[in-house]
Amino acid sequence: MILDFVTLLDMKKSVWRPGTYIHYQESYNNHIKPPIGNHKLQKPTKMTLQRELIDKLVSYKLKRATIQEIFRVFKSAVSYAVEEEIQPKDCFTKMDFSAAPTGDKANFYTEEELKTFLSCVKDNDPTTRYTAILTLAMTGMRKGEMMGITWNDLDFKAKSITINKARTITGLGPPKSDNGYRKVSMNNELYSQLKIYKTWCIKKKWENSMQHKDEDFVFISRQGCNPIGLTYVEDALDMICTKYNLRRISPHGLRHTVASILLARGETLVTVAKILGDNPNTILKVYVHSFEKDEIKSIDLMNQFANG
């Protein structure tokens, strides 16, 4: 039996989270369908896939990480086909991505860069903009998780935030994975800022003849007190980095920043994964750059041992 990619997407739709399905659908429509959409999953050979998908994506000047993510979407369909015995085996292993360029700049801030960036954000808008970005930068939560926080998710006595939902393009739904359900601690800076921000929100709502409720989303616009939009953080980053001439990272880069700082300061993989609501293997793979200092120290220690 030959099954195409679209059919496999539809079969998995019921078990995937809405955001995952949309991500896979967009990857297929934008990047996989144009070059190889006419192939059935059993038809392309490894050589065909390398030439018609990966090499073509390289020619579009896409970064290596982007191409690898697109390929991962393709592989998920192949794996499901093998699992359902629709396809005998996965023939698409050890593909060559070496021709694709790596990112010119790391998508995370150093501790010094983060301090400068947060100072500029606070100088520009000490209310919603600063509080939302500070929350991302101090907890490592995903943008959708931050936008889904309601006031009853905040425990000021325990200084913790419960993450149990996320706002995405599909609406309000669950976190990205089961690991996403978690509690994260507020440090003193975030705790104090959220207390100040709550007072500001109550006042703004009162000025707009609105009643503050515990079920309200935490982060609201200055005009109308509506929940911030899906591009709020991206727009803020664009404006701040342009105005203050700072290096631009993505909203997800703030999550990378938290992980990088924690790992550099000696936190374990398991602890960092728990804070981020991620898998330790993912942390090891994505944040490998954070171990470079430890590797250098280890080499120095071995050199001392060998020369001792």
Side-chain angles (χ1 to χ4, degrees):
M1 179 181 179
I2 299 175
L3 205 63
D4 62 31
F5 195 97
V6 175
T7 305
L8 283 169
L9 277 177
D10 290 339
M11 290 176 65
K12 292 287 284 184
K13 184 176 182 179
S14 61
V15 297
W16 279 336
R17 286 176 166 82
T20 301
Y21 176 77
I22 289 177
H23 168 63
Y24 277 34
Q25 191 178 48
E26 289 177 344
S27 292
Y28 172 72
N29 289 331
N30 295 334
H31 302 292
I32 298 172
K33 181 179 179 180
I36 64 169
N38 61 326
H39 291 286
K40 298 295 183 180
L41 280 178
Q42 289 178 330
K43 293 288 183 71
T45 63
K46 180 178 178 180
M47 184 180 298
T48 301
L49 192 69
Q50 180 72 46
R51 182 181 66 249
E52 296 191 17
L53 178 62
I54 295 175
D55 291 349
K56 191 155 290 186
L57 293 174
V58 170
S59 73
Y60 297 154
K61 308 298 183 184
L62 296 179
K63 295 292 189 291
R64 187 178 304 175
T66 301
I67 297 174
Q68 289 173 328
E69 174 61 22
I70 294 168
F71 181 68
R72 188 179 71 82
V73 172
F74 175 85
K75 284 274 287 183
S76 70
V78 175
S79 298
Y80 185 61
V82 173
E83 180 184 326
E84 294 296 315
E85 299 182 350
I86 297 165
Q87 183 166 314
K89 64 178 181 177
D90 179 359
C91 303
F92 310 112
T93 58
K94 298 181 180 179
M95 306 303 292
D96 184 9
F97 302 95
S98 61
T102 57
D104 296 327
K105 295 180 180 178
N107 189 31
F108 64 94
Y109 284 142
T110 64
E111 291 190 47
E112 293 74 19
E113 287 177 315
L114 180 62
K115 289 177 183 177
T116 300
F117 170 71
L118 290 175
S119 176
C120 292
V121 178
K122 188 173 185 179
D123 175 71
N124 180 261
D125 172 20
T127 57
T128 299
R129 189 168 293 148
Y130 177 63
T131 312
I133 290 178
L134 182 69
T135 299
L136 293 176
M138 294 295 108
T139 66
M141 66 176 71
R142 298 176 177 89
K143 184 186 73 169
E145 294 170 342
M146 178 272 290
M147 293 192 302
I149 295 171
T150 49
W151 286 108
N152 51 16
D153 294 325
L154 274 59
D155 186 338
F156 285 107
K157 289 185 178 180
K159 291 187 176 181
S160 67
I161 303 172
T162 297
I163 299 173
N164 52 27
K165 53 191 176 300
R167 278 180 61 214
T168 66
I169 193 172
T170 60
L172 189 64
K176 185 176 181 180
S177 67
D178 290 340
N179 290 333
Y181 292 93
R182 64 198 188 279
K183 283 188 177 183
V184 294
S185 298
M186 307 177 200
N187 62 13
N188 291 336
E189 183 178 3
L190 181 58
Y191 168 81
S192 298
Q193 180 60 30
L194 283 168
K195 293 277 284 186
I196 293 170
Y197 182 63
K198 184 175 183 179
T199 301
W200 179 86
C201 287
I202 292 172
K203 180 181 178 182
K204 287 296 292 184
K205 290 175 184 176
W206 180 81
E207 291 173 354
N208 283 270
S209 301
M210 299 169 64
Q211 183 179 0
H212 178 82
K213 300 177 182 178
D214 287 342
E215 298 79 21
D216 291 345
F217 289 115
V218 170
F219 300 104
I220 58 174
S221 63
R222 298 180 67 89
Q223 302 296 326
C225 299
N226 299 310
I228 59 174
L230 295 179
T231 64
Y232 181 88
V233 178
E234 286 87 344
D235 295 341
L237 282 165
D238 285 340
M239 191 275 293
I240 295 295
C241 292
T242 299
K243 180 177 180 178
Y244 295 92
N245 195 27
L246 302 176
R247 183 168 69 86
R248 168 72 152 82
I249 64 172
S250 71
H252 205 71
L254 293 171
R255 179 174 167 85
H256 292 331
T257 299
V258 173
S260 299
I261 291 174
L262 290 175
L263 291 169
R265 286 175 171 258
E267 285 289 0
T268 65
L269 278 173
V270 173
T271 299
V272 175
K274 185 176 180 180
I275 291 171
L276 297 186
D278 223 327
N279 184 287
N281 290 330
T282 302
I283 300 297
L284 180 60
K285 179 180 178 181
V286 176
Y287 305 102
V288 66
H289 56 78
S290 299
F291 297 99
E292 291 176 354
K293 291 181 181 179
D294 290 336
E295 290 172 359
I296 293 171
K297 288 179 182 177
S298 298
I299 292 171
D300 288 342
L301 287 173
M302 292 307 296
N303 285 336
Q304 292 173 22
F305 173 79
N307 296 329

PDB file of all heavy atoms in Angstrom, residues 4-7 9 21-39 41 53 70 73-74 77:
ATOM      1  N   ASP A   4       0.312   8.758   0.747  1.00  0.00           N
ATOM      2  CA  ASP A   4       1.007  10.027   0.568  1.00  0.00           C
ATOM      3  C   ASP A   4       1.086  10.805   1.871  1.00  0.00           C
ATOM      4  O   ASP A   4       0.449  10.487   2.870  1.00  0.00           O
ATOM      5  CB  ASP A   4       0.360  10.851  -0.543  1.00  0.00           C
ATOM      6  CG  ASP A   4      -1.085  11.228  -0.241  1.00  0.00           C
ATOM      7  OD1 ASP A   4      -1.410  11.394   0.940  1.00  0.00           O
ATOM      8  OD2 ASP A   4      -1.877  11.347  -1.183  1.00  0.00           O
ATOM      9  N   PHE A   5       1.900  11.875   1.836  1.00  0.00           N
ATOM     10  CA  PHE A   5       2.195  12.670   3.024  1.00  0.00           C
ATOM     11  C   PHE A   5       0.938  13.314   3.599  1.00  0.00           C
ATOM     12  O   PHE A   5       0.743  13.336   4.817  1.00  0.00           O
ATOM     13  CB  PHE A   5       3.223  13.752   2.657  1.00  0.00           C
ATOM     14  CG  PHE A   5       3.875  14.407   3.837  1.00  0.00           C
ATOM     15  CD1 PHE A   5       5.109  13.983   4.291  1.00  0.00           C
ATOM     16  CD2 PHE A   5       3.265  15.464   4.495  1.00  0.00           C
ATOM     17  CE1 PHE A   5       5.719  14.591   5.379  1.00  0.00           C
ATOM     18  CE2 PHE A   5       3.865  16.077   5.588  1.00  0.00           C
ATOM     19  CZ  PHE A   5       5.098  15.634   6.017  1.00  0.00           C
ATOM     20  N   VAL A   6       0.087  13.859   2.739  1.00  0.00           N
ATOM     21  CA  VAL A   6      -1.122  14.545   3.196  1.00  0.00           C
ATOM     22  C   VAL A   6      -2.029  13.584   3.952  1.00  0.00           C
ATOM     23  O   VAL A   6      -2.597  13.928   4.998  1.00  0.00           O
ATOM     24  CB  VAL A   6      -1.877  15.169   2.000  1.00  0.00           C
ATOM     25  CG1 VAL A   6      -3.189  15.770   2.461  1.00  0.00           C
ATOM     26  CG2 VAL A   6      -1.026  16.231   1.331  1.00  0.00           C
ATOM     27  N   THR A   7      -2.168  12.354   3.451  1.00  0.00           N
ATOM     28  CA  THR A   7      -3.004  11.357   4.129  1.00  0.00           C
ATOM     29  C   THR A   7      -2.446  11.043   5.510  1.00  0.00           C
ATOM     30  O   THR A   7      -3.189  10.911   6.480  1.00  0.00           O
ATOM     31  CB  THR A   7      -3.097  10.073   3.292  1.00  0.00           C
ATOM     32  OG1 THR A   7      -3.554  10.400   1.985  1.00  0.00           O
ATOM     33  CG2 THR A   7      -4.044   9.081   3.933  1.00  0.00           C
ATOM     34  N   LEU A   9      -0.645  13.060   7.375  1.00  0.00           N
ATOM     35  CA  LEU A   9      -0.926  14.213   8.227  1.00  0.00           C
ATOM     36  C   LEU A   9      -2.345  14.138   8.784  1.00  0.00           C
ATOM     37  O   LEU A   9      -2.574  14.374   9.976  1.00  0.00           O
ATOM     38  CB  LEU A   9      -0.766  15.511   7.431  1.00  0.00           C
ATOM     39  CG  LEU A   9       0.636  16.087   7.267  1.00  0.00           C
ATOM     40  CD1 LEU A   9       0.590  17.333   6.398  1.00  0.00           C
ATOM     41  CD2 LEU A   9       1.270  16.423   8.609  1.00  0.00           C
ATOM     42  N   TYR A  21       0.155  20.158  14.513  1.00  0.00           N
ATOM     43  CA  TYR A  21      -0.429  19.842  13.213  1.00  0.00           C
ATOM     44  C   TYR A  21      -0.259  21.009  12.242  1.00  0.00           C
ATOM     45  O   TYR A  21       0.136  20.820  11.085  1.00  0.00           O
ATOM     46  CB  TYR A  21      -1.909  19.507  13.371  1.00  0.00           C
ATOM     47  CG  TYR A  21      -2.613  19.256  12.049  1.00  0.00           C
ATOM     48  CD1 TYR A  21      -2.442  18.054  11.368  1.00  0.00           C
ATOM     49  CD2 TYR A  21      -3.419  20.235  11.473  1.00  0.00           C
ATOM     50  CE1 TYR A  21      -3.053  17.824  10.152  1.00  0.00           C
ATOM     51  CE2 TYR A  21      -4.038  20.021  10.250  1.00  0.00           C
ATOM     52  CZ  TYR A  21      -3.860  18.812   9.601  1.00  0.00           C
ATOM     53  OH  TYR A  21      -4.464  18.603   8.389  1.00  0.00           O
ATOM     54  N   ILE A  22      -0.525  22.232  12.708  1.00  0.00           N
ATOM     55  CA  ILE A  22      -0.388  23.403  11.842  1.00  0.00           C
ATOM     56  C   ILE A  22       1.065  23.595  11.413  1.00  0.00           C
ATOM     57  O   ILE A  22       1.355  23.899  10.256  1.00  0.00           O
ATOM     58  CB  ILE A  22      -0.914  24.661  12.560  1.00  0.00           C
ATOM     59  CG1 ILE A  22      -2.444  24.597  12.664  1.00  0.00           C
ATOM     60  CG2 ILE A  22      -0.488  25.924  11.836  1.00  0.00           C
ATOM     61  CD1 ILE A  22      -3.052  25.752  13.410  1.00  0.00           C
ATOM     62  N   HIS A  23       2.001  23.401  12.355  1.00  0.00           N
ATOM     63  CA  HIS A  23       3.431  23.528  12.037  1.00  0.00           C
ATOM     64  C   HIS A  23       3.830  22.530  10.956  1.00  0.00           C
ATOM     65  O   HIS A  23       4.507  22.883   9.975  1.00  0.00           O
ATOM     66  CB  HIS A  23       4.267  23.313  13.292  1.00  0.00           C
ATOM     67  CG  HIS A  23       5.725  23.133  13.029  1.00  0.00           C
ATOM     68  ND1 HIS A  23       6.500  24.122  12.451  1.00  0.00           N
ATOM     69  CD2 HIS A  23       6.561  22.070  13.235  1.00  0.00           C
ATOM     70  CE1 HIS A  23       7.748  23.687  12.323  1.00  0.00           C
ATOM     71  NE2 HIS A  23       7.800  22.447  12.782  1.00  0.00           N
ATOM     72  N   TYR A  24       3.389  21.282  11.092  1.00  0.00           N
ATOM     73  CA  TYR A  24       3.736  20.254  10.118  1.00  0.00           C
ATOM     74  C   TYR A  24       3.070  20.540   8.772  1.00  0.00           C
ATOM     75  O   TYR A  24       3.673  20.361   7.718  1.00  0.00           O
ATOM     76  CB  TYR A  24       3.297  18.881  10.637  1.00  0.00           C
ATOM     77  CG  TYR A  24       4.289  18.250  11.592  1.00  0.00           C
ATOM     78  CD1 TYR A  24       5.032  19.042  12.467  1.00  0.00           C
ATOM     79  CD2 TYR A  24       4.484  16.879  11.623  1.00  0.00           C
ATOM     80  CE1 TYR A  24       5.935  18.476  13.351  1.00  0.00           C
ATOM     81  CE2 TYR A  24       5.395  16.301  12.502  1.00  0.00           C
ATOM     82  CZ  TYR A  24       6.118  17.111  13.363  1.00  0.00           C
ATOM     83  OH  TYR A  24       7.019  16.545  14.224  1.00  0.00           O
ATOM     84  N   GLN A  25       1.835  20.998   8.822  1.00  0.00           N
ATOM     85  CA  GLN A  25       1.108  21.313   7.591  1.00  0.00           C
ATOM     86  C   GLN A  25       1.786  22.449   6.832  1.00  0.00           C
ATOM     87  O   GLN A  25       1.943  22.398   5.605  1.00  0.00           O
ATOM     88  CB  GLN A  25      -0.333  21.672   7.935  1.00  0.00           C
ATOM     89  CG  GLN A  25      -1.273  21.763   6.739  1.00  0.00           C
ATOM     90  CD  GLN A  25      -2.687  22.065   7.170  1.00  0.00           C
ATOM     91  OE1 GLN A  25      -2.922  22.971   7.964  1.00  0.00           O
ATOM     92  NE2 GLN A  25      -3.637  21.284   6.668  1.00  0.00           N
ATOM     93  N   GLU A  26       2.197  23.492   7.565  1.00  0.00           N
ATOM     94  CA  GLU A  26       2.873  24.621   6.935  1.00  0.00           C
ATOM     95  C   GLU A  26       4.228  24.211   6.362  1.00  0.00           C
ATOM     96  O   GLU A  26       4.609  24.650   5.264  1.00  0.00           O
ATOM     97  CB  GLU A  26       3.052  25.756   7.944  1.00  0.00           C
ATOM     98  CG  GLU A  26       1.743  26.461   8.312  1.00  0.00           C
ATOM     99  CD  GLU A  26       1.939  27.539   9.359  1.00  0.00           C
ATOM    100  OE1 GLU A  26       3.007  27.542  10.018  1.00  0.00           O
ATOM    101  OE2 GLU A  26       1.026  28.367   9.537  1.00  0.00           O
ATOM    102  N   SER A  27       4.954  23.371   7.092  1.00  0.00           N
ATOM    103  CA  SER A  27       6.247  22.900   6.596  1.00  0.00           C
ATOM    104  C   SER A  27       6.069  22.109   5.304  1.00  0.00           C
ATOM    105  O   SER A  27       6.848  22.251   4.358  1.00  0.00           O
ATOM    106  CB  SER A  27       6.938  22.024   7.655  1.00  0.00           C
ATOM    107  OG  SER A  27       7.313  22.788   8.778  1.00  0.00           O
ATOM    108  N   TYR A  28       5.030  21.293   5.274  1.00  0.00           N
ATOM    109  CA  TYR A  28       4.768  20.502   4.070  1.00  0.00           C
ATOM    110  C   TYR A  28       4.387  21.407   2.896  1.00  0.00           C
ATOM    111  O   TYR A  28       4.972  21.320   1.810  1.00  0.00           O
ATOM    112  CB  TYR A  28       3.662  19.487   4.321  1.00  0.00           C
ATOM    113  CG  TYR A  28       3.226  18.782   3.048  1.00  0.00           C
ATOM    114  CD1 TYR A  28       4.050  17.838   2.439  1.00  0.00           C
ATOM    115  CD2 TYR A  28       2.011  19.108   2.440  1.00  0.00           C
ATOM    116  CE1 TYR A  28       3.674  17.229   1.258  1.00  0.00           C
ATOM    117  CE2 TYR A  28       1.630  18.493   1.259  1.00  0.00           C
ATOM    118  CZ  TYR A  28       2.460  17.552   0.671  1.00  0.00           C
ATOM    119  OH  TYR A  28       2.101  16.954  -0.503  1.00  0.00           O
ATOM    120  N   ASN A  29       3.406  22.284   3.119  1.00  0.00           N
ATOM    121  CA  ASN A  29       2.916  23.133   2.024  1.00  0.00           C
ATOM    122  C   ASN A  29       3.978  24.092   1.498  1.00  0.00           C
ATOM    123  O   ASN A  29       4.055  24.352   0.293  1.00  0.00           O
ATOM    124  CB  ASN A  29       1.695  23.927   2.485  1.00  0.00           C
ATOM    125  CG  ASN A  29       0.468  23.053   2.669  1.00  0.00           C
ATOM    126  OD1 ASN A  29       0.318  22.030   2.006  1.00  0.00           O
ATOM    127  ND2 ASN A  29      -0.405  23.441   3.582  1.00  0.00           N
ATOM    128  N   ASN A  30       4.806  24.639   2.404  1.00  0.00           N
ATOM    129  CA  ASN A  30       5.771  25.656   2.000  1.00  0.00           C
ATOM    130  C   ASN A  30       7.093  25.094   1.487  1.00  0.00           C
ATOM    131  O   ASN A  30       7.739  25.707   0.626  1.00  0.00           O
ATOM    132  CB  ASN A  30       6.061  26.598   3.169  1.00  0.00           C
ATOM    133  CG  ASN A  30       4.837  27.399   3.589  1.00  0.00           C
ATOM    134  OD1 ASN A  30       3.943  27.635   2.786  1.00  0.00           O
ATOM    135  ND2 ASN A  30       4.789  27.808   4.845  1.00  0.00           N
ATOM    136  N   HIS A  31       7.520  23.945   2.033  1.00  0.00           N
ATOM    137  CA  HIS A  31       8.870  23.477   1.736  1.00  0.00           C
ATOM    138  C   HIS A  31       8.970  22.060   1.158  1.00  0.00           C
ATOM    139  O   HIS A  31       9.911  21.776   0.416  1.00  0.00           O
ATOM    140  CB  HIS A  31       9.723  23.542   3.008  1.00  0.00           C
ATOM    141  CG  HIS A  31       9.809  24.910   3.613  1.00  0.00           C
ATOM    142  ND1 HIS A  31      10.463  25.956   2.995  1.00  0.00           N
ATOM    143  CD2 HIS A  31       9.313  25.407   4.774  1.00  0.00           C
ATOM    144  CE1 HIS A  31      10.374  27.047   3.752  1.00  0.00           C
ATOM    145  NE2 HIS A  31       9.683  26.744   4.828  1.00  0.00           N
ATOM    146  N   ILE A  32       8.044  21.187   1.514  1.00  0.00           N
ATOM    147  CA  ILE A  32       8.146  19.793   1.076  1.00  0.00           C
ATOM    148  C   ILE A  32       7.340  19.532  -0.194  1.00  0.00           C
ATOM    149  O   ILE A  32       7.820  18.887  -1.130  1.00  0.00           O
ATOM    150  CB  ILE A  32       7.700  18.841   2.206  1.00  0.00           C
ATOM    151  CG1 ILE A  32       8.612  19.008   3.422  1.00  0.00           C
ATOM    152  CG2 ILE A  32       7.714  17.387   1.728  1.00  0.00           C
ATOM    153  CD1 ILE A  32       8.154  18.254   4.652  1.00  0.00           C
ATOM    154  N   LYS A  33       6.145  20.066  -0.227  1.00  0.00           N
ATOM    155  CA  LYS A  33       5.260  19.819  -1.370  1.00  0.00           C
ATOM    156  C   LYS A  33       5.821  20.340  -2.701  1.00  0.00           C
ATOM    157  O   LYS A  33       5.773  19.610  -3.712  1.00  0.00           O
ATOM    158  CB  LYS A  33       3.890  20.439  -1.106  1.00  0.00           C
ATOM    159  CG  LYS A  33       2.887  20.209  -2.232  1.00  0.00           C
ATOM    160  CD  LYS A  33       1.540  20.835  -1.886  1.00  0.00           C
ATOM    161  CE  LYS A  33       0.539  20.641  -3.015  1.00  0.00           C
ATOM    162  NZ  LYS A  33      -0.781  21.255  -2.678  1.00  0.00           N
ATOM    163  N   PRO A  34       6.364  21.582  -2.759  1.00  0.00           N
ATOM    164  CA  PRO A  34       6.842  22.080  -4.063  1.00  0.00           C
ATOM    165  C   PRO A  34       7.861  21.166  -4.747  1.00  0.00           C
ATOM    166  O   PRO A  34       7.693  20.847  -5.924  1.00  0.00           O
ATOM    167  CB  PRO A  34       7.428  23.456  -3.713  1.00  0.00           C
ATOM    168  CG  PRO A  34       6.633  23.891  -2.519  1.00  0.00           C
ATOM    169  CD  PRO A  34       6.420  22.639  -1.719  1.00  0.00           C
ATOM    170  N   PRO A  35       8.919  20.706  -4.033  1.00  0.00           N
ATOM    171  CA  PRO A  35       9.902  19.882  -4.747  1.00  0.00           C
ATOM    172  C   PRO A  35       9.532  18.404  -4.884  1.00  0.00           C
ATOM    173  O   PRO A  35       9.857  17.770  -5.884  1.00  0.00           O
ATOM    174  CB  PRO A  35      11.176  20.048  -3.915  1.00  0.00           C
ATOM    175  CG  PRO A  35      10.688  20.344  -2.544  1.00  0.00           C
ATOM    176  CD  PRO A  35       9.407  21.116  -2.713  1.00  0.00           C
ATOM    177  N   ILE A  36       8.875  17.816  -3.874  1.00  0.00           N
ATOM    178  CA  ILE A  36       8.651  16.364  -3.926  1.00  0.00           C
ATOM    179  C   ILE A  36       7.205  15.976  -3.659  1.00  0.00           C
ATOM    180  O   ILE A  36       6.918  14.817  -3.375  1.00  0.00           O
ATOM    181  CB  ILE A  36       9.578  15.618  -2.931  1.00  0.00           C
ATOM    182  CG1 ILE A  36       9.242  16.014  -1.475  1.00  0.00           C
ATOM    183  CG2 ILE A  36      11.046  15.868  -3.249  1.00  0.00           C
ATOM    184  CD1 ILE A  36       9.917  15.129  -0.450  1.00  0.00           C
ATOM    185  N   GLY A  37       6.292  16.918  -3.723  1.00  0.00           N
ATOM    186  CA  GLY A  37       4.897  16.622  -3.421  1.00  0.00           C
ATOM    187  C   GLY A  37       4.266  15.608  -4.348  1.00  0.00           C
ATOM    188  O   GLY A  37       3.264  14.982  -4.010  1.00  0.00           O
ATOM    189  N   ASN A  38       4.848  15.425  -5.534  1.00  0.00           N
ATOM    190  CA  ASN A  38       4.278  14.468  -6.477  1.00  0.00           C
ATOM    191  C   ASN A  38       4.763  13.038  -6.233  1.00  0.00           C
ATOM    192  O   ASN A  38       4.331  12.103  -6.895  1.00  0.00           O
ATOM    193  CB  ASN A  38       4.631  14.871  -7.913  1.00  0.00           C
ATOM    194  CG  ASN A  38       6.131  14.900  -8.154  1.00  0.00           C
ATOM    195  OD1 ASN A  38       6.888  15.235  -7.256  1.00  0.00           O
ATOM    196  ND2 ASN A  38       6.556  14.571  -9.359  1.00  0.00           N
ATOM    197  N   HIS A  39       5.691  12.871  -5.278  1.00  0.00           N
ATOM    198  CA  HIS A  39       6.196  11.541  -4.968  1.00  0.00           C
ATOM    199  C   HIS A  39       5.350  10.882  -3.877  1.00  0.00           C
ATOM    200  O   HIS A  39       4.929  11.540  -2.941  1.00  0.00           O
ATOM    201  CB  HIS A  39       7.647  11.602  -4.470  1.00  0.00           C
ATOM    202  CG  HIS A  39       8.633  11.983  -5.519  1.00  0.00           C
ATOM    203  ND1 HIS A  39       9.028  11.128  -6.514  1.00  0.00           N
ATOM    204  CD2 HIS A  39       9.309  13.135  -5.727  1.00  0.00           C
ATOM    205  CE1 HIS A  39       9.917  11.738  -7.288  1.00  0.00           C
ATOM    206  NE2 HIS A  39      10.099  12.967  -6.825  1.00  0.00           N
ATOM    207  N   LEU A  41       5.412   8.273  -0.636  1.00  0.00           N
ATOM    208  CA  LEU A  41       6.465   8.084   0.359  1.00  0.00           C
ATOM    209  C   LEU A  41       7.384   6.907   0.030  1.00  0.00           C
ATOM    210  O   LEU A  41       8.550   6.904   0.385  1.00  0.00           O
ATOM    211  CB  LEU A  41       5.841   7.874   1.749  1.00  0.00           C
ATOM    212  CG  LEU A  41       5.389   9.137   2.470  1.00  0.00           C
ATOM    213  CD1 LEU A  41       4.751   8.781   3.797  1.00  0.00           C
ATOM    214  CD2 LEU A  41       6.557  10.074   2.718  1.00  0.00           C
ATOM    215  N   LEU A  53      15.069  17.580  -2.423  1.00  0.00           N
ATOM    216  CA  LEU A  53      14.554  18.293  -1.256  1.00  0.00           C
ATOM    217  C   LEU A  53      15.672  19.053  -0.548  1.00  0.00           C
ATOM    218  O   LEU A  53      15.678  20.279  -0.510  1.00  0.00           O
ATOM    219  CB  LEU A  53      13.871  17.336  -0.283  1.00  0.00           C
ATOM    220  CG  LEU A  53      13.336  18.006   1.004  1.00  0.00           C
ATOM    221  CD1 LEU A  53      12.267  19.040   0.666  1.00  0.00           C
ATOM    222  CD2 LEU A  53      12.783  16.966   1.979  1.00  0.00           C
ATOM    223  N   ILE A  70      12.767  21.069   8.747  1.00  0.00           N
ATOM    224  CA  ILE A  70      11.861  20.669   7.659  1.00  0.00           C
ATOM    225  C   ILE A  70      11.997  19.169   7.403  1.00  0.00           C
ATOM    226  O   ILE A  70      11.001  18.457   7.229  1.00  0.00           O
ATOM    227  CB  ILE A  70      12.179  21.470   6.379  1.00  0.00           C
ATOM    228  CG1 ILE A  70      11.849  22.952   6.593  1.00  0.00           C
ATOM    229  CG2 ILE A  70      11.402  20.921   5.181  1.00  0.00           C
ATOM    230  CD1 ILE A  70      12.398  23.863   5.511  1.00  0.00           C
ATOM    231  N   VAL A  73      10.183  17.028   9.896  1.00  0.00           N
ATOM    232  CA  VAL A  73       8.758  16.899   9.609  1.00  0.00           C
ATOM    233  C   VAL A  73       8.532  15.766   8.609  1.00  0.00           C
ATOM    234  O   VAL A  73       7.638  14.934   8.785  1.00  0.00           O
ATOM    235  CB  VAL A  73       8.200  18.225   9.053  1.00  0.00           C
ATOM    236  CG1 VAL A  73       6.772  18.046   8.560  1.00  0.00           C
ATOM    237  CG2 VAL A  73       8.259  19.318  10.123  1.00  0.00           C
ATOM    238  N   PHE A  74       9.355  15.720   7.559  1.00  0.00           N
ATOM    239  CA  PHE A  74       9.251  14.637   6.580  1.00  0.00           C
ATOM    240  C   PHE A  74       9.482  13.288   7.252  1.00  0.00           C
ATOM    241  O   PHE A  74       8.753  12.324   7.026  1.00  0.00           O
ATOM    242  CB  PHE A  74      10.262  14.864   5.453  1.00  0.00           C
ATOM    243  CG  PHE A  74      10.322  13.738   4.467  1.00  0.00           C
ATOM    244  CD1 PHE A  74       9.430  13.679   3.402  1.00  0.00           C
ATOM    245  CD2 PHE A  74      11.261  12.729   4.599  1.00  0.00           C
ATOM    246  CE1 PHE A  74       9.470  12.627   2.490  1.00  0.00           C
ATOM    247  CE2 PHE A  74      11.316  11.680   3.695  1.00  0.00           C
ATOM    248  CZ  PHE A  74      10.408  11.629   2.640  1.00  0.00           C
ATOM    249  N   ALA A  77       6.610  11.648   9.197  1.00  0.00           N
ATOM    250  CA  ALA A  77       5.629  10.950   8.372  1.00  0.00           C
ATOM    251  C   ALA A  77       6.143   9.573   7.976  1.00  0.00           C
ATOM    252  O   ALA A  77       5.406   8.580   7.992  1.00  0.00           O
ATOM    253  CB  ALA A  77       5.312  11.776   7.127  1.00  0.00           C
TER     254      ALA A  77
END
